[in-house]
Amino acid sequence: MKVRDFTWRKPVTISVDASITDAAQMFSDQGVGALIVLDANRPVGVVTDRDLVVRGVAQRVPPDARIDSLMSMGVIALDADEEVDELYAVFARHAIRRVPVVEHDRVVGMISLDDAMVSTAAELTDLAGVLSTQIAFPHARDEASPPAVVRAS
């Protein structure tokens, strides 16, 4: 399975020179917990609602300061054609909860750890249904074999 199969959230992006207030308004309007920060349409950072509180409000950063003063740099993104196993590995290796998805340096989505759990659970539910059917009706899909012919000697 590919990362693109788990990418069902559109990316919510903000310009690198937008203000902290602009970001807070986007969090409110879009109902998301993370924004991908873009510079000339390239991802350069991620800022979360928690970053606004911990790095912004708690440190008394002025609300008109640029959002890049609060963002995490060194974006860890995955290509949409990457295998889902790599997504799981990224979550584990980097202790992050959200991963931007890109196609040729263009952001096409965002996958949260929660999204991955829901998608994986749905796949497992489908697989469990197949298994349950096979247990309940073990030969339902088998072709009927021709009757054995026993010749008396």
Side-chain angles (χ1 to χ4, degrees):
M1 184 170 268
K2 303 288 183 188
V3 167
R4 78 172 59 255
D5 299 324
F6 278 29
T7 308
W8 47 274
R9 284 188 196 264
K10 297 278 187 220
V12 181
T13 62
I14 191 166
S15 175
V16 71
D17 58 359
S19 72
I20 292 171
T21 301
D22 294 335
Q25 190 63 54
M26 287 187 79
F27 285 126
S28 177
D29 292 347
Q30 299 293 320
V32 296
L35 303 173
I36 301 168
V37 182
L38 301 179
D39 186 8
N41 292 323
R42 293 205 49 183
V44 294
V46 173
V47 65
T48 66
D49 49 3
R50 186 173 192 277
D51 292 333
L52 258 73
V53 173
V54 174
R55 296 178 182 170
V57 176
Q59 302 301 316
R60 292 186 163 73
V61 176
D64 60 346
R66 286 172 43 134
I67 197 60
D68 60 354
S69 65
L70 303 183
M71 73 181 188
S72 296
M73 298 186 315
V75 177
I76 298 167
L78 283 175
D79 190 272
D81 290 323
E82 193 72 55
E83 294 294 327
V84 168
D85 290 347
E86 185 58 24
L87 173 66
Y88 300 151
V90 165
F91 282 134
R93 247 190 331 261
H94 300 285
I96 57 177
R97 295 186 52 86
R98 296 171 183 94
V99 176
V101 178
V102 297
E103 283 183 343
H104 312 292
D105 285 337
R106 185 176 64 87
V107 179
V108 295
M110 175 84 93
I111 301 176
S112 71
L113 183 56
D114 298 352
D115 296 338
M117 289 290 294
V118 168
S119 294
T120 301
E123 292 294 319
L124 289 174
T125 299
D126 292 346
L127 191 57
V130 171
L131 181 60
S132 295
T133 301
Q134 289 180 359
I135 290 170
F137 307 101
H139 301 291
R141 299 240 188 247
D142 291 348
E143 299 262 336
S145 56
V149 176
V150 179
R151 296 189 192 260
S153 322

